[in-house]
Amino acid sequence: MNTVAETPPPQERSEQDLIRALQDTVSASRLSLFLQCRLKFYFRYVLKLQKPKTASLHLGSAVHAVLKAWNKARWLQQPLSLKEVHETYLQAWADTTEGSVNWEPGEEDDDKTTGWRLCDTNIRQSASMALTKPDAVEVSIEADLARHGLPRLIGILDLVQQGSIIDYKTSASTPNPSTVGHLHEIQTSSYAILYRYNTDQQETGIQLHHLVKLKNPKVCITDLPPMSQSQQTRLFRQMEAYLEGLQRPDFIPSPGMHCSSCEFIHECRLWH
């Protein structure tokens, strides 16, 4: 009798292997989290602790899916009708691939309505953008920074139009014009590096589009200049700190106001 050898189950990667892989590549979100709280980074990327999806994350994902579809249709020069946009939103809202949300009574209907109003408001206010074909939509790219002694930088650009890097964000409050650029500098500098390494050109600027979840939704656009040399230097120094922290390894908590919304606060309290 012929027998078929059973394939052994894949071995789980050791903690050292996971940390080593994290040293090979870095993204803006990973770097930002590491600099905010190294223990939270450890819980999410090394231990890979799973937590329920939050309502705000679900709303943001659904809105992002709509904007991606809308911009991709513009890039293909086959613009979507408002009805098609709404159908895309309903499909995105029903998608539980990344986990389901533990909704409070009545919360889902309210958030679902809010999310659609954000999409509708953005598309109506961006009518002038629709006349110009995007350079790129939702493109996944990387930059090899080995010559700087740094890991590969990876990321996804939401939208590039006329050389300007555009990133979408959903927000519960209106961003402060005097600080919004600084708060998102790691992300915007990372995107500038990715753009320059893949096009051999300097971006014409960077735009942050905040879709604000107010009773009357609005879109706040922040225009930022191209990344400066000092901003690039600062990003590279932050990446050096990331590498050094992983090499030690250095995963300590950073208690502060940000802990109030952290999904790992229980695990953090048990850390010693």
Side-chain angles (χ1 to χ4, degrees):
M1 181 188 301
N2 293 327
T3 59
V4 178
E6 292 186 5
T7 303
Q11 292 185 341
E12 289 189 12
R13 301 171 74 183
S14 69
E15 185 171 306
Q16 286 185 335
D17 288 338
L18 289 168
I19 292 175
R20 195 174 298 115
L22 289 166
Q23 290 175 291
D24 292 337
T25 62
V26 65
S27 65
S29 57
R30 255 196 265 154
L31 179 58
S32 295
L33 180 58
F34 183 84
L35 295 174
Q36 179 193 78
C37 181
R38 299 181 181 197
L39 185 57
K40 183 175 181 178
F41 177 95
Y42 177 73
F43 288 148
R44 180 174 295 174
Y45 291 109
V46 181
L47 293 187
K48 297 182 180 293
L49 300 183
Q50 298 296 315
K51 295 290 181 177
K53 191 177 184 182
T54 65
S56 61
L57 180 59
H58 184 75
L59 186 154
S61 297
V63 171
H64 189 91
V66 169
L67 298 179
K68 174 184 175 182
W70 183 67
N71 286 321
K72 188 172 182 180
R74 293 197 302 116
W75 181 72
L76 294 171
Q77 297 184 304
Q78 298 172 352
L80 299 176
S81 66
L82 195 59
K83 180 182 178 182
E84 290 171 321
V85 172
H86 189 247
E87 289 172 351
T88 301
Y89 176 72
L90 294 179
Q91 292 172 4
W93 189 268
D95 186 0
T96 57
T97 308
E98 297 180 358
S100 56
V101 178
N102 296 324
W103 299 101
E104 297 293 333
E107 183 184 21
E108 182 175 5
D109 288 341
D110 289 345
D111 278 7
K112 187 176 181 181
T113 299
T114 297
W116 169 244
R117 292 175 68 197
L118 286 176
C119 295
D120 184 53
T121 299
N122 180 78
I123 291 173
R124 292 180 188 279
Q125 291 188 12
S126 304
S128 60
M129 285 180 59
L131 303 176
T132 305
K133 181 180 178 181
D135 302 335
V137 177
E138 201 79 10
V139 58
S140 179
I141 52 179
E142 62 180 54
D144 185 354
L145 303 179
R147 65 188 178 93
H148 299 285
L150 299 172
R152 281 184 297 116
L153 179 63
I154 60 175
I156 300 175
L157 303 186
D158 284 353
L159 175 66
V160 180
Q161 188 152 314
Q162 295 181 313
S164 179
I165 301 169
I166 299 172
D167 189 67
Y168 295 104
K169 301 181 181 301
T170 54
S171 173
S173 59
T174 302
N176 186 332
S178 64
T179 59
V180 65
H182 181 74
L183 293 177
H184 297 287
E185 186 180 287
I186 289 177
Q187 184 181 40
T188 56
S189 294
S190 296
Y191 287 175
I193 291 290
L194 290 168
Y195 180 82
R196 295 179 188 188
Y197 269 68
N198 285 275
T199 65
D200 292 323
Q201 297 177 4
Q202 177 176 289
E203 68 283 1
T204 57
I206 302 171
Q207 285 189 349
L208 299 176
H209 290 216
H210 280 82
L211 283 66
V212 188
K213 298 179 284 187
L214 300 174
K215 184 176 181 180
N216 294 311
K218 64 179 179 178
V219 180
C220 296
I221 299 177
T222 304
D223 285 297
L224 301 172
M227 178 186 66
S228 67
Q229 182 59 48
S230 63
Q231 287 175 319
Q232 176 177 298
T233 299
R234 179 150 57 182
L235 178 66
F236 284 179
R237 292 292 301 276
Q238 289 165 329
M239 292 174 70
E240 288 171 0
Y242 170 87
L243 280 181
E244 291 168 3
L246 289 177
Q247 287 165 359
R248 281 198 285 271
D250 182 3
F251 301 116
I252 58 172
S254 302
M257 293 298 292
H258 53 272
C259 297
S260 61
S261 60
C262 180
E263 66 270 34
F264 301 114
I265 191 167
H266 174 70
E267 290 82 357
C268 182
R269 285 172 172 166
L270 299 176
W271 180 88
H272 57 83

